Short mmCIF file of all heavy atoms in Angstrom, two decimals:
data_model
loop_
_atom_site.label_atom_id
_atom_site.label_comp_id
_atom_site.label_asym_id
_atom_site.label_seq_id
_atom_site.Cartn_x
_atom_site.Cartn_y
_atom_site.Cartn_z
N THR A 119 15.46 -29.18 -15.16
CA THR A 119 15.53 -30.23 -16.21
C THR A 119 16.24 -31.43 -15.76
O THR A 119 17.22 -31.31 -14.99
CB THR A 119 16.13 -29.69 -17.50
OG1 THR A 119 16.11 -30.75 -18.50
CG2 THR A 119 17.51 -29.17 -17.30
N LYS A 120 15.76 -32.54 -16.20
CA LYS A 120 16.49 -33.84 -15.95
C LYS A 120 17.40 -34.20 -17.09
O LYS A 120 18.14 -35.15 -17.01
CB LYS A 120 15.50 -34.91 -15.67
CG LYS A 120 14.68 -34.83 -14.41
CD LYS A 120 13.70 -35.99 -14.26
CE LYS A 120 12.90 -35.91 -12.98
NZ LYS A 120 11.98 -37.10 -12.80
N ASP A 121 17.22 -33.51 -18.25
CA ASP A 121 17.89 -33.83 -19.46
C ASP A 121 19.39 -33.61 -19.29
O ASP A 121 19.84 -32.59 -18.66
CB ASP A 121 17.44 -33.03 -20.62
CG ASP A 121 15.99 -33.30 -20.93
OD1 ASP A 121 15.50 -34.40 -20.58
OD2 ASP A 121 15.27 -32.38 -21.47
N PRO A 122 20.22 -34.52 -19.74
CA PRO A 122 21.74 -34.36 -19.62
C PRO A 122 22.11 -33.21 -20.60
O PRO A 122 21.46 -32.84 -21.53
CB PRO A 122 22.29 -35.71 -20.08
CG PRO A 122 21.21 -36.30 -20.95
CD PRO A 122 19.90 -35.82 -20.37
N LEU A 123 23.31 -32.64 -20.32
CA LEU A 123 23.83 -31.62 -21.20
C LEU A 123 24.19 -32.20 -22.61
O LEU A 123 24.97 -33.15 -22.67
CB LEU A 123 25.10 -31.02 -20.56
CG LEU A 123 25.74 -29.78 -21.19
CD1 LEU A 123 24.72 -28.72 -21.39
CD2 LEU A 123 26.87 -29.35 -20.31
N LEU A 124 23.54 -31.66 -23.62
CA LEU A 124 23.67 -32.16 -24.95
C LEU A 124 25.16 -32.11 -25.45
O LEU A 124 25.81 -31.07 -25.27
CB LEU A 124 22.77 -31.30 -25.95
CG LEU A 124 22.61 -31.89 -27.32
CD1 LEU A 124 21.90 -33.26 -27.30
CD2 LEU A 124 21.73 -30.92 -28.20
N ASN A 125 25.61 -33.17 -26.01
CA ASN A 125 27.02 -33.29 -26.53
C ASN A 125 28.08 -33.10 -25.49
O ASN A 125 29.20 -32.65 -25.80
CB ASN A 125 27.15 -32.30 -27.68
CG ASN A 125 26.41 -32.70 -28.91
OD1 ASN A 125 26.24 -33.88 -29.19
ND2 ASN A 125 25.90 -31.65 -29.62
N TYR A 126 27.75 -33.32 -24.22
CA TYR A 126 28.72 -33.09 -23.11
C TYR A 126 29.99 -33.95 -23.30
O TYR A 126 31.07 -33.52 -23.00
CB TYR A 126 28.05 -33.39 -21.80
CG TYR A 126 28.94 -33.21 -20.58
CD1 TYR A 126 29.45 -31.93 -20.29
CD2 TYR A 126 29.20 -34.27 -19.72
CE1 TYR A 126 30.28 -31.74 -19.21
CE2 TYR A 126 30.01 -34.08 -18.64
CZ TYR A 126 30.55 -32.83 -18.34
OH TYR A 126 31.36 -32.64 -17.27
N ARG A 127 29.83 -35.15 -23.83
CA ARG A 127 30.99 -36.01 -24.07
C ARG A 127 31.93 -35.37 -25.05
O ARG A 127 33.16 -35.76 -25.05
CB ARG A 127 30.53 -37.40 -24.52
CG ARG A 127 29.83 -38.19 -23.33
CD ARG A 127 29.55 -39.56 -23.87
NE ARG A 127 28.91 -40.37 -22.82
CZ ARG A 127 28.51 -41.62 -22.95
NH1 ARG A 127 28.72 -42.25 -24.12
NH2 ARG A 127 27.96 -42.26 -21.98
N ASN A 128 31.44 -34.54 -25.95
CA ASN A 128 32.24 -33.99 -27.05
C ASN A 128 32.83 -32.60 -26.62
O ASN A 128 33.29 -31.91 -27.48
CB ASN A 128 31.50 -33.86 -28.31
CG ASN A 128 30.99 -35.28 -28.82
OD1 ASN A 128 31.67 -36.23 -28.65
ND2 ASN A 128 29.85 -35.28 -29.35
N ARG A 129 32.77 -32.30 -25.36
CA ARG A 129 33.28 -30.98 -24.90
C ARG A 129 34.81 -30.89 -25.08
O ARG A 129 35.47 -31.87 -25.12
CB ARG A 129 32.90 -30.80 -23.43
CG ARG A 129 33.64 -31.66 -22.48
CD ARG A 129 33.06 -31.54 -21.07
NE ARG A 129 33.81 -32.32 -20.08
CZ ARG A 129 33.63 -33.64 -19.89
NH1 ARG A 129 32.82 -34.33 -20.63
NH2 ARG A 129 34.36 -34.26 -18.96
N ARG A 130 35.26 -29.67 -25.17
CA ARG A 130 36.71 -29.34 -25.22
C ARG A 130 37.06 -28.48 -24.06
O ARG A 130 36.45 -27.41 -23.91
CB ARG A 130 37.04 -28.71 -26.60
CG ARG A 130 38.54 -28.54 -26.87
CD ARG A 130 38.81 -28.17 -28.23
NE ARG A 130 38.50 -26.68 -28.41
CZ ARG A 130 39.39 -25.71 -28.22
NH1 ARG A 130 40.59 -25.96 -27.83
NH2 ARG A 130 39.01 -24.48 -28.44
N LYS A 131 38.11 -28.82 -23.40
CA LYS A 131 38.57 -27.98 -22.24
C LYS A 131 39.23 -26.67 -22.73
O LYS A 131 39.98 -26.68 -23.75
CB LYS A 131 39.55 -28.80 -21.45
CG LYS A 131 40.03 -28.01 -20.15
CD LYS A 131 41.03 -28.84 -19.32
CE LYS A 131 41.55 -28.04 -18.20
NZ LYS A 131 42.59 -28.77 -17.38
#
Side-chain angles (χ1 to χ4, degrees):
T119 179
K120 292 181 180 180
D121 298 333
L123 186 53
L124 191 64
N125 291 325
Y126 180 60
R127 290 184 179 180
N128 299 324
R129 69 189 183 279
R130 186 172 76 90
K131 183 181 178 181

